[in-house]
Amino acid sequence: MNAVRSLAAPFLPFSAAVLAAALLFALFLAAQGFPALEALELVVEGAYGSSFAWQNTLSRAAPLMLTALCVALPARAGLVIIGGEGALAVGALAAAVVPAACAGWPALPVHLLMAAAGFIAGGAWIALSAWLRHARGINETISSLLLAYIGIALFNFLVEGVLRDPASLNKPSTTPLAESFLIGAMPGMEVHWGLFWGVLICLVMGFVVRQTVFGFAVGVVGGNPRAAMMAGLPVGGLILAACFLGGGAAGLAGMLEVAAVHGSANAALLAGYGYAGILVSFAARHNPLGIIACAILVGGIGASGSLLQRRIDLPDAATLVLQGGLFVALLAFETLNRKGVRRV
Amino acid sequence: MDPLTHSLTAADLQHRGAAVEAFRVTKRFGAFTALDAVSMKVEAGSFHCLLGENGAGKSTLVKCLVGYHPPEEGGFMVDGREHDIRSPRDAQRLRIGMVYQHFTLAPGMTVAENLLLARGDLPLRIDWRHEKAALAAFLDSTPFRLDLNALVADLAAGEKQKLEILKQLYLGQRLLILDEPTSVLTPGEADEVLGLLHGMTRDGRLTVLMISHKFREVSAYGDGVTILRRGKLAGSGRVGELSTAEMAEMMVGSSVAVSSGRRRCAADQTQAIGEIRLDVEGLHADNDRGTPSVRGLDLSVRAGEIVGVAGVAGNGQKELVEVLLGQRQASAGQVRVAGEDYQASRAQMRRHGVFSLPEEPLRNACVPAMSVAENMGLRDFDIAPYAGGWLSLGFLRRRALSRRAKALIEAFGVRPDDPATAIENLSGGNVQRAVLARELSGPVKLLVVANPVFGLDFAATEAIHRRLDQARNEGAAILLVSEDLDELLELSDRIVVMSEGVIAYEALAGQADVAAIGRYMAGHGH
């Protein structure tokens, strides 16, 4: 009985939060005269009701898994990073400039180069916040958010400026990737390979965090930096490394959006995956394995948007309301799992 | 008339200070007796000092008096009548007020606003013109001078302390209790504030009871003194009649402590002391607020000796230990371990066998949310047999960590004996044992220890002392920082006194003069 309870305990606040968010969402809609129950049914149907819905959900879950790691890995080191959107933007930008120099190459090395460029750019972007925190004592949550604005501005500046493809008239974009450089769908489904990489990287990070010396050392730094210093661990280096890996994952999400979804870097790519990743990571309690499931949940909410719009004429932003409600409810219900008096 | 508005008029400060007597006050916290039948007599209109080391029970006694902890036995007499003080409200009714060590002011508000806030019975609309005039009249009736319109955030520490005192006078207190009022002041500010209070007692308008461990202030301003030691009355008398040396001896040591210190030295002094393991030269370090805390400290510890660092808390010991542990950056000076410049890196700790038992182990030496097994692995999780595998990634062998933890738990008697328990769920003594097990199971060459038995019961204390002694006999160099002089006298081969960030006194334990140690601890050498 006790074993059951302790196994169920972590899921209790999560389930309660999902229920509370659904209730809030229904009340919000009912207050405006929308059919609330039907809307909730449509969210489920639009997310998981058909193979088409599943494909839509999984395509959205793929980048979410990677941007969630941009929150989860720094969180292991005790940092609250919320600037994944910026890492995604600079990652996409870096990845988008690679193919121009590789005309006529086979696809694989180009993809590897693009992935490396996206990873390094995103990683450096978040590592900058970590460095500011470690060396200058600047709050990493705020600096990462501000850096995200800078990253997005840089993205727009370059995409609408020097990197703009003159042929892109209404929608400023970088030069489209050659057909051969596009990342296609996985066999037997219409979901692109990004899903495979998202799941694989989450699994690898789950292993790194739990089973390697590096992951343990990062956990010590995050759990108590004073104890880490006493044990002689290189606190700054570990924080930087964890943030670099997290930012790299978000940068990789940007690269995948370019190579598998949009075919070029343009403003449509900045659809808020970086911010939704914060929700995913918190819902998964920063556990890389839990992120896979939570990304599918949050991806589903996003995927249901078009169905809500078509059937009951809800604006597109309605899914954002549900997401936001879920996040607030999660933070509130987290306290359910905390026992005893809070330590100072 | 309401007693508070009543207190606003200057004429009311003419009333006399209160006479207070504590009679056999006993206070227990669980099994721990913080105060054991302590009596104290404070005469009306006198400046009385309460002396003692950290943990002697001074704060507990005054907290009983202001109603925060009603005592289990004994009681208080105010002006010759017995009063049952059960709550701060009772104390307020008797006009007993306390100024705490740390400021309780609203920094963004003015002096006048802070004074009114203290009153706590403000009307919905404040008639500022009337209140300001009343406050100005009140200020005139005291010797303190402050600008009523000044923002508290802009005041110097000495002025803030004056405002704290004014708040209590404004409430009409007849007995003012001050808990180490000068710990945040410069000597000049301290003299000014204490001098003014002293003047008010000379007029008989006020009685002051001051907690201190600075003999200089006691001799300069005190009339009577009560000295506590380990929850018991160690002595009392008039300041002029007791010498500083006598007060120091009452405060820090019984003759029992000295003899137990000698016992240990007589038995072991013959053993050869080895090479210098830890050498600190000209060390400077700032505290969290950025003010210099360690100021040019020199210290060395040799193999096979325990060097005890005595001192009143707040004289830089904490910062010194943090520098040695790698938790704080030194601002200047050098730390050498076995002759090598020491940066507290993991490689150096391993190479030179540096281990440590910091104070508050859960905060300084453990990851609270991690298991006992993981915490016991903090020193060596990254080397065989706890790590290994292909690539240079290094995979963690959790089973090996757990197996070793089981053995250590057994050897050191940690309870509960499940290595998977989160260490934050262990009691203080068991956390300390778990850390001890981790730090002493390796090849210890240098051990930095700070207040290792703080808050532990007798048996746990004995066990830890035995382990330290054993490590020393096996040739470890041990630096032991402690606020408990008896502990230092019992364990150390050499004792140094740290005062205001430097070593002020040094002696072999066998020849240490307890009274001198006390004087240097109190910043009153020579």
Side-chain angles (χ1 to χ4, degrees):
Chain A
M1 188 62 218
N2 256 345
V4 173
R5 197 172 299 158
S6 68
L7 268 178
F11 298 103
L12 198 68
F14 180 72
S15 319
V18 171
L19 279 178
L23 188 69
L24 277 175
F25 186 57
L27 286 174
F28 171 75
L29 293 181
Q32 301 175 74
F34 288 105
L37 280 180
E38 193 190 341
L40 289 180
E41 280 169 30
L42 285 175
V43 170
V44 176
E45 192 190 328
Y48 316 108
S50 63
S51 68
F52 174 77
W54 268 103
Q55 275 167 12
N56 191 354
T57 296
L58 292 177
S59 307
R60 287 164 187 268
L64 285 178
M65 289 174 196
L66 293 169
T67 54
L69 285 175
C70 184
V71 181
L73 296 176
R76 303 294 301 194
L79 273 67
V80 182
I81 293 283
I82 59 171
E85 188 84 358
L88 184 144
V90 295
L93 206 55
V97 297
V98 168
C102 309
W105 290 28
L108 185 68
V110 177
H111 287 158
L112 288 178
L113 265 183
M114 285 175 75
F119 194 93
I120 291 170
W125 205 251
I126 300 298
L128 185 58
S129 281
W131 179 79
L132 284 171
R133 150 74 183 264
H134 182 69
R136 318 287 326 157
I138 293 168
N139 181 305
E140 79 282 359
T141 311
I142 292 172
S143 77
S144 71
L145 182 64
L146 296 180
L147 276 173
Y149 294 140
I150 295 175
I152 292 165
L154 187 70
F155 179 92
N156 288 329
F157 175 75
L158 291 176
V159 167
E160 289 167 24
V162 289
L163 295 180
R164 180 171 181 173
D165 173 18
S168 62
L169 297 174
N170 296 329
K171 187 181 172 192
S173 304
T174 56
T175 312
L177 266 66
E179 196 73 27
S180 61
F181 291 165
L182 290 175
I183 293 179
M186 292 194 288
M189 53 206 304
E190 276 170 47
V191 183
H192 62 77
W193 278 94
L195 178 66
F196 170 80
W197 291 112
V199 170
L200 182 71
I201 290 173
C202 279
L203 290 175
V204 169
M205 287 305 167
F207 181 81
V208 166
V209 158
R210 174 88 193 137
Q211 298 294 344
T212 66
V213 163
F214 168 75
F216 186 83
V218 168
V220 171
V221 170
N224 185 356
R226 294 179 69 87
M229 288 190 260
M230 191 216 71
L233 293 173
V235 173
L238 288 166
I239 287 178
L240 240 67
C243 286
F244 183 81
L245 285 179
L252 200 59
M255 173 267 177
L256 286 166
E257 287 296 292
V258 168
V261 181
H262 298 275
S264 66
N266 59 55
L269 184 148
L270 301 176
Y273 286 124
Y275 300 122
I278 305 168
L279 166 60
V280 172
S281 184
F282 271 82
R285 303 166 142 243
H286 311 311
N287 177 339
L289 302 185
I291 281 176
I292 297 174
C294 291
I296 292 172
L297 177 85
V298 174
I301 294 177
S304 66
S306 59
L307 197 63
L308 288 173
Q309 197 169 9
R310 265 182 291 136
R311 292 274 185 84
I312 55 174
D313 217 16
L314 273 178
D316 217 20
T319 57
L320 289 182
V321 173
L322 180 53
Q323 269 187 26
L326 182 59
F327 190 42
V328 172
L330 263 174
L331 294 181
F333 280 99
E334 263 300 288
T335 49
L336 283 185
N337 232 26
R338 227 173 261 153
K339 56 203 156 179
V341 187
R342 193 195 266 252
R343 278 190 183 77
V344 180
Chain B
M1 203 188 223
D2 180 276
L4 289 175
T5 44
H6 179 70
S7 70
L8 296 185
T9 58
D12 268 287
L13 283 172
Q14 298 307 322
H15 62 198
R16 295 194 53 79
V20 173
E21 217 172 308
F23 180 70
R24 296 188 65 78
V25 173
T26 299
K27 177 73 201 170
R28 295 186 196 92
F29 297 104
F32 174 67
T33 305
L35 281 178
D36 189 0
V38 171
S39 299
M40 170 179 72
K41 190 169 179 188
V42 180
E43 282 165 30
S46 71
F47 196 115
H48 197 91
C49 300
L50 192 52
L51 266 173
E53 285 186 290
N54 289 76
K58 299 163 299 187
S59 292
T60 310
L61 179 60
V62 296
K63 279 181 181 161
C64 287
L65 181 52
V66 294
Y68 276 103
H69 312 307
E72 262 94 47
E73 287 158 40
F76 294 99
M77 305 244 284
V78 179
D79 290 333
R81 278 177 51 198
E82 189 165 347
H83 286 276
D84 198 20
I85 305 175
R86 298 262 120 201
S87 73
R89 201 169 303 165
D90 293 340
Q92 175 58 40
R93 209 166 292 135
L94 292 166
R95 307 246 180 116
I96 297 173
M98 178 151 171
V99 174
Y100 294 90
Q101 209 170 347
H102 301 285
F103 296 126
T104 57
L105 301 165
M109 300 177 90
T110 64
V111 168
E113 284 166 339
N114 269 281
L115 286 173
L116 281 191
L117 265 182
R119 214 169 75 190
D121 65 337
L122 296 176
L124 211 54
R125 190 186 148 277
I126 298 172
D127 180 355
W128 277 107
R129 200 140 43 116
H130 169 78
E131 295 290 358
K132 282 253 174 80
L135 283 171
F138 157 72
L139 264 185
D140 277 342
S141 72
T142 73
F144 294 94
R145 291 291 157 261
L146 270 184
D147 177 5
L148 280 174
N149 295 315
L151 214 55
V152 166
D154 299 334
L155 298 183
E159 292 174 309
K160 286 183 187 158
Q161 191 65 270
K162 282 189 208 166
L163 179 53
E164 289 282 6
I165 291 167
L166 277 172
K167 258 165 61 176
Q168 295 302 322
L169 297 179
Y170 183 59
L171 295 176
Q173 313 303 19
R174 302 170 56 218
L175 171 66
L176 196 53
I177 301 170
L178 303 160
D179 189 356
E180 295 182 30
T182 60
S183 58
V184 292
L185 306 188
T186 64
E189 288 174 327
D191 278 331
E192 190 193 352
V193 169
L194 295 181
L196 291 173
L197 281 174
H198 186 251
M200 289 187 79
T201 61
R202 286 313 79 133
D203 300 344
R205 293 153 76 180
L206 188 70
T207 307
V208 173
L209 174 59
M210 176 175 81
I211 294 180
S212 180
H213 33 226
K214 295 183 184 163
F215 286 122
R216 190 185 66 83
E217 292 168 1
V218 175
S219 333
Y221 301 104
D223 297 315
V225 60
T226 299
I227 300 152
L228 298 186
R229 175 169 168 72
R230 298 199 161 176
K232 292 195 172 119
L233 183 68
S236 61
R238 300 202 62 78
V239 169
E241 291 160 13
L242 277 175
S243 72
T244 308
E246 284 170 312
M247 287 192 277
E249 201 160 337
M250 286 180 195
M251 178 168 124
V252 296
S254 51
S255 46
V256 183
V258 183
S259 67
S260 73
R262 292 218 171 97
R263 161 190 65 78
R264 138 160 203 29
C265 293
D268 302 328
Q269 203 82 357
T270 50
Q271 189 184 335
I273 284 174
E275 80 283 2
I276 293 181
R277 285 268 169 79
L278 171 68
D279 189 19
V280 179
E281 207 179 296
L283 187 73
H284 287 260
D286 294 347
N287 63 16
D288 288 337
R289 277 170 297 173
T291 43
S293 199
V294 179
R295 305 170 190 173
L297 179 128
D298 300 314
L299 182 70
S300 66
V301 185
R302 291 170 174 273
E305 72 168 346
I306 297 182
V307 173
V309 178
V312 172
N315 276 288
Q317 303 96 311
K318 184 167 151 267
E319 288 76 13
L320 168 66
V321 169
E322 286 176 344
V323 168
L324 294 179
L325 254 54
Q327 293 177 334
R328 185 176 292 276
Q329 205 85 43
S331 49
Q334 263 201 321
V335 176
R336 279 186 295 271
V337 173
E340 187 191 339
D341 207 22
Y342 185 67
Q343 266 89 36
S345 73
R346 200 164 172 84
Q348 282 183 320
M349 289 177 186
R350 203 163 278 159
R351 190 158 61 239
H352 299 305
V354 182
F355 292 86
S356 47
L357 296 172
E359 60 186 353
E360 295 184 76
L362 202 56
R363 188 172 105 87
N364 282 310
C366 296
V367 183
M370 284 187 168
S371 71
V372 173
E374 289 171 321
N375 272 291
M376 283 180 166
L378 236 48
R379 287 280 182 199
D380 48 13
F381 67 87
D382 53 345
I383 50 171
Y386 312 110
W390 39 276
L391 299 176
S392 56
L393 250 180
F395 296 133
L396 213 55
R397 298 213 168 112
R398 288 180 179 273
R399 224 168 296 154
L401 277 179
S402 177
R403 214 174 309 126
R404 189 260 306 264
K406 268 196 193 115
L408 287 180
I409 284 172
E410 177 78 28
F412 283 76
V414 180
R415 293 289 169 271
D417 58 3
D418 175 11
T421 317
I423 202 160
E424 62 187 337
N425 295 334
L426 267 55
S427 71
N430 281 307
V431 172
Q432 187 66 283
R433 260 184 243 148
V435 173
L436 198 69
R438 176 182 81 206
E439 301 294 317
L440 291 187
S441 56
V444 185
K445 287 188 176 161
L446 171 63
L447 189 64
V448 178
V449 188
N451 295 315
V453 300
F454 187 79
L456 298 189
D457 61 26
F458 184 76
T461 301
E462 278 297 290
I464 285 170
H465 283 174
R466 224 176 25 246
R467 297 271 183 191
L468 291 180
D469 217 35
Q470 189 189 339
R472 161 198 174 272
N473 290 339
E474 287 165 5
I478 300 182
L479 183 71
L480 171 63
V481 177
S482 175
E483 285 169 25
D484 184 342
L485 193 57
D486 279 354
E487 177 177 49
L488 292 173
L489 288 167
E490 189 186 328
L491 292 175
S492 311
D493 299 289
R494 195 147 59 84
I495 288 192
V496 299
V497 175
M498 199 165 164
S499 175
E500 301 191 348
V502 294
I503 299 298
Y505 176 81
E506 176 172 348
L508 288 175
Q511 299 149 13
D513 173 358
V514 177
I517 289 176
R519 275 201 311 279
Y520 281 98
M521 279 171 70
H524 200 277
H526 321 295

